[in-house]
Amino acid sequence: MHNQDEIRLQQELSQGSEKAFEEVFQVYFKVLTVFSKKFVQDLSIAEDLVQEVLLKLYENRRSIQFHTSLKAFLFQSVRNKSIDYLRSLKSKSDHHDQIKLLTVTESTDWSDTMEQTELEERISEAISALPDQCQVIFKMSRFDGKRNQEIAEELDISKRTVETQVSNALKRLRKDVLPYVNLLVIILSRLFY
């Protein structure tokens, strides 16, 4: 989302616009859920926490003060909500290690995690947009760690077809995630190399 769109949404939210809130929900719900899941390790809980943050935004939309961008505000709110949730589990011994890890991550720059989450979401969408056979071959190659010959035998296609499909997938993914090249090196090294 462009900076001007964020400013417009912030202004419309402060004027009580339900349409602006719906747009915020559509743009940010999924990526915020992925971000929260990194903390709480449970998709259902992450969805609930994000819904709570967005509900609070809606309830306070006329009086809310944005000291940063809308995006940064939402990610910070979800991060805090996720941390609060984990802290509430502190007394349970099976979550003790998670909370120790959280204490360490609290001192790190969470904006890197936010950017990583957005990039992972972008990559997931790009992979989902690949043609069916290309997607299957790419996942077998990069996620399952299968060699081209193994894939060819399993799918009853030529090894050259596998190589071409993997190459096409990589070209498409590089094009689709080009705006995030700096983060690409960090996160995708395990997928592409």
Side-chain angles (χ1 to χ4, degrees):
M1 174 170 280
H2 293 81
N3 203 19
Q4 292 175 343
D5 291 331
E6 288 222 355
I7 293 169
R8 175 188 54 82
L9 278 177
Q10 284 177 221
Q11 291 170 344
E12 290 177 9
L13 278 172
S14 65
Q15 295 168 359
S17 170
E18 289 187 19
K19 185 178 178 189
F21 175 77
E22 289 173 14
E23 188 176 342
V24 168
F25 189 91
Q26 290 175 349
V27 169
Y28 288 107
F29 179 78
K30 191 173 181 181
V31 71
L32 289 171
T33 300
V34 172
F35 181 66
S36 178
K37 186 177 180 287
K38 289 180 178 296
F39 291 96
V40 299
Q41 304 298 314
D42 183 298
L43 181 61
S44 178
I45 291 170
E47 288 174 342
D48 290 345
L49 295 173
V50 171
Q51 286 178 1
E52 288 178 35
V53 166
L54 292 173
L55 179 61
K56 187 173 181 180
L57 173 69
Y58 179 78
E59 290 171 348
N60 298 317
R61 66 189 184 279
R62 293 181 195 274
S63 61
I64 200 154
Q65 296 288 323
F66 297 100
H67 301 291
T68 58
S69 70
L70 172 63
K71 177 174 139 181
F73 172 82
L74 290 171
F75 273 92
Q76 181 69 39
S77 297
V78 168
R79 176 187 176 271
N80 291 343
K81 191 74 165 171
S82 300
I83 289 170
D84 289 346
Y85 169 79
L86 288 175
R87 284 186 177 142
S88 73
L89 300 175
K90 192 173 186 176
S91 62
K92 297 181 181 178
S93 62
D94 59 332
H95 294 287
H96 188 68
D97 290 340
Q98 252 182 336
I99 292 167
K100 279 185 182 176
L101 176 63
L102 180 62
T103 305
V104 172
T105 60
E106 280 182 329
S107 63
T108 61
D109 185 6
W110 68 272
S111 64
D112 290 342
T113 305
M114 178 179 77
E115 291 168 353
Q116 179 181 347
T117 301
E118 289 179 333
L119 181 57
E120 288 173 351
E121 182 65 26
R122 179 72 55 115
I123 293 165
S124 177
E125 289 172 1
I127 291 171
S128 297
L130 292 171
D132 291 341
Q133 184 182 30
C134 185
Q135 188 178 143
V136 167
I137 291 170
F138 180 77
K139 286 179 178 179
M140 290 173 79
S141 171
R142 296 308 193 229
F143 296 128
D144 300 340
K146 294 186 178 185
R147 291 179 294 166
N148 291 347
Q149 187 61 45
E150 291 176 285
I151 297 168
E153 290 170 4
E154 192 171 322
L155 298 179
D156 197 27
I157 56 177
S158 73
K159 182 179 175 185
R160 182 69 186 137
T161 299
V162 172
E163 292 167 353
T164 301
Q165 291 293 333
V166 170
S167 176
N168 290 343
L170 291 172
K171 286 177 190 171
R172 176 99 178 255
L173 291 174
R174 285 184 185 113
K175 178 184 168 266
D176 289 349
V177 295
L178 190 60
Y180 299 94
V181 169
N182 292 339
L183 295 174
L184 186 64
V185 173
I186 297 168
I187 297 170
L188 295 182
S189 61
R190 64 181 170 185
L191 293 177
F192 297 126
Y193 305 104

